[in-house]
Amino acid sequence: MKYYLIAGEASGDLHGSNLIRSIAAKDSDADFRYYGGDKMLVAGGELVKHYKDTAVMGFLRVATHLHKILRNINDCKRDIADYAPDVLILIDYPGFNLEIAKYAKEVLNLKVAYYIPPKIWAWKEGRVEQIKKYVDVVYCIFPFEVDFYKSHGYDNVLYVGNPCVQSVRSACHVSKDDFYLINGFDPDKKIVALLPGSREHEVKHTISVLNKIDKSKFNDCQFVMAATSAVDMDMYKGVDSSIKVVYDETYPLLTFATAAIVNSGTATLETALFGVPQVVVFPMIVTRLLYKIGRKYMLKIPYISLVNIISGKETVKELVAYECTVESVTKNLTDILYNKECIESIKKDYNKIKSILGDSVASDAAAEHLMTLLKA
């Protein structure tokens, strides 16, 4: 069988690579072609275009890069038509992927699967109509998504498990002594992990807040930032000297961290699965009024972090927009480092989240169902 996958950012590249391996284990004749990244390339198949060359985030950047976006979409359509896959597999990245899904279904009449669908239950709920028209099956990674889709009259939806569970479980861990020694950490100090995000505008704004934390208030701690190669490395040149930086070692860092400050996103769930108490931050340059209007009329849910969304309560503190000040971050960091009652409450909720997500290997379950779909 021939499989065409589209992933538009670092997390999609990771989950796409796991899906490629799972499909290959079930289909010995599998042939893969994709828009993705380095991890998918290692997993096998042919990389058409790297996500770094296609990703454009933010309204202003989209507006100023419209020609590039349209060219990438048209290039992708032509490539899919030439390749003539048995199935098109979309991984998140809705703005791009839903346009491709429409073409694949209406023009090419391909089978279309969505692995890790966009979070339309949070905002842009209207996109569910596009999915109903152009997608044959949706493989969800949160249990509550099944009810969401069915409430909108879409029944071809399956919860396959959450890929973060798989990723965390299969992570390679070094010993604490080796990790500290290799990175020059003080063995007598706790680690506060700083995860500023994987998109350049997130990283820039988050670093500006983290730099200003008075580290002298936490003398028993060392602050370590998890940098990712998915972001231009020049972005980390502005990190204050009081913060150590490690590159592409997020999981080892979380393994030994006592607490974490995390930019909202998938990393909040990964941090929870490692059992690390966290403060979720999402600094935005927007007025208080505009932010409140946005929360009221655009977001469909009360929380922004996956941890709180899954638990259905404020398991961890969220500091967004005007709430994300150095003072508020410092106060809440103090709680998750030294307030035993706060720490125990967070970890108790983390265990509930693990139970909700279950132990299913998401990529294996999706691949298994995909084989059935293709045979049909």
Side-chain angles (χ1 to χ4, degrees):
M1 294 283 186
K2 296 166 69 176
Y3 305 84
Y4 201 106
L5 298 86
I6 304 176
E9 52 190 350
S11 61
D13 178 34
L14 170 62
H15 302 318
S17 69
N18 287 330
L19 184 59
I20 286 173
R21 292 187 179 93
S22 293
I23 292 173
K26 301 177 187 301
D27 180 0
S28 58
D29 295 321
D31 187 84
F32 301 99
R33 188 172 176 86
Y34 44 81
Y35 275 43
D38 299 332
K39 289 181 172 61
M40 292 172 74
L41 187 59
V42 170
E46 184 172 357
L47 174 65
V48 180
K49 191 167 291 189
H50 202 286
Y51 66 81
K52 291 181 179 178
D53 297 324
T54 61
V56 178
M57 303 295 178
F59 177 79
L60 289 178
R61 292 200 66 196
V62 168
T64 56
H65 290 75
L66 188 58
H67 178 72
K68 174 184 176 182
I69 294 169
L70 294 176
R71 185 178 68 247
N72 284 332
I73 288 174
N74 289 329
D75 287 348
C76 186
K77 288 177 179 178
R78 283 192 294 270
D79 195 62
I80 292 172
D82 291 342
Y83 182 63
D86 294 286
V87 62
L88 170 66
I89 304 172
L90 312 173
I91 304 174
D92 202 356
Y93 200 41
F96 189 97
N97 275 338
L98 288 174
E99 181 64 28
I100 297 299
K102 179 180 179 180
Y103 172 79
K105 182 57 64 179
E106 290 188 340
V107 179
L108 303 179
N109 195 29
L110 295 177
K111 283 188 170 67
V112 180
Y114 221 129
Y115 178 60
I116 311 181
K119 299 176 181 65
I120 55 177
W121 36 265
W123 75 311
K124 293 191 176 181
E125 189 174 323
R127 281 175 165 170
V128 72
E129 297 303 321
Q130 293 174 275
I131 289 176
K132 288 166 66 176
K133 285 183 182 179
Y134 311 127
V135 178
D136 294 285
V137 61
V138 171
Y139 298 123
C140 290
I141 61 171
F142 302 110
F144 61 82
E145 289 180 307
V146 174
D147 291 336
F148 169 83
Y149 279 100
K150 288 188 174 182
S151 72
H152 284 80
Y154 185 87
D155 294 325
N156 300 326
V157 54
L158 178 71
Y159 174 63
V160 292
N162 192 283
C164 288
V165 175
Q166 175 186 358
S167 297
V168 170
R169 184 190 301 140
S170 61
C172 296
H173 301 302
V174 297
S175 71
K176 182 176 181 179
D177 289 342
D178 287 344
F179 184 66
Y180 272 65
L181 181 63
I182 291 169
N183 291 289
F185 297 156
D186 187 335
D188 298 320
K189 289 188 174 183
K190 304 170 185 175
I191 288 179
V192 175
L194 308 176
L195 280 61
S198 59
R199 297 169 181 167
E200 291 188 2
H201 65 283
E202 295 176 347
V203 173
K204 178 181 178 181
H205 295 316
T206 306
I207 286 176
S208 68
V209 174
L210 299 177
N211 278 345
K212 297 171 185 174
I213 296 174
D214 185 355
K215 315 303 188 299
S216 66
K217 293 183 178 180
F218 306 96
N219 285 323
D220 58 338
C221 300
Q222 51 199 326
F223 289 73
V224 184
M225 182 170 292
T228 170
S229 56
V231 175
D232 185 344
M233 290 302 167
D234 287 342
M235 295 292 296
Y236 301 107
K237 290 181 178 179
V239 176
D240 189 78
S241 60
S242 62
I243 300 172
K244 296 179 182 292
V245 180
V246 296
Y247 294 89
D248 294 321
E249 291 191 273
T250 302
Y251 279 10
L253 181 61
L254 289 174
T255 300
F256 304 115
T258 299
I261 302 173
V262 187
N263 187 289
S264 179
T266 303
T268 64
L269 180 55
E270 292 171 321
T271 302
L273 293 173
F274 275 100
V276 182
Q278 63 185 297
V279 179
V280 176
V281 299
F282 195 70
M284 299 167 59
I285 301 177
V286 63
T287 66
R288 182 184 300 233
L289 178 60
L290 284 176
Y291 171 68
K292 288 187 174 181
I293 291 173
R295 284 300 295 259
K296 182 175 181 179
Y297 294 105
M298 294 180 66
L299 286 178
K300 304 294 183 181
I301 51 176
Y303 305 110
I304 66 163
S305 69
L306 291 175
V307 174
N308 291 345
I309 292 168
I310 295 170
S311 66
K313 57 181 287 192
E314 190 182 57
T315 291
V316 296
K317 190 67 177 179
E318 297 179 353
L319 303 174
V320 185
Y322 66 90
E323 299 170 329
C324 187
T325 64
V326 176
E327 292 75 21
S328 61
V329 173
T330 301
K331 175 186 178 300
N332 285 280
L333 176 59
T334 301
D335 284 340
I336 63 172
L337 277 169
Y338 308 117
N339 185 325
K340 290 184 179 180
E341 184 177 340
C342 175
I343 294 168
E344 289 175 3
S345 176
I346 290 174
K347 292 193 173 184
K348 184 178 179 180
D349 283 350
Y350 280 177
N351 288 331
K352 291 180 181 178
I353 289 171
K354 291 177 184 178
S355 178
I356 290 171
L357 295 177
D359 296 323
S360 175
V361 177
S363 61
D364 284 350
E368 184 69 36
H369 188 271
L370 197 58
M371 298 301 106
T372 304
L373 175 70
L374 293 176
K375 288 177 183 176

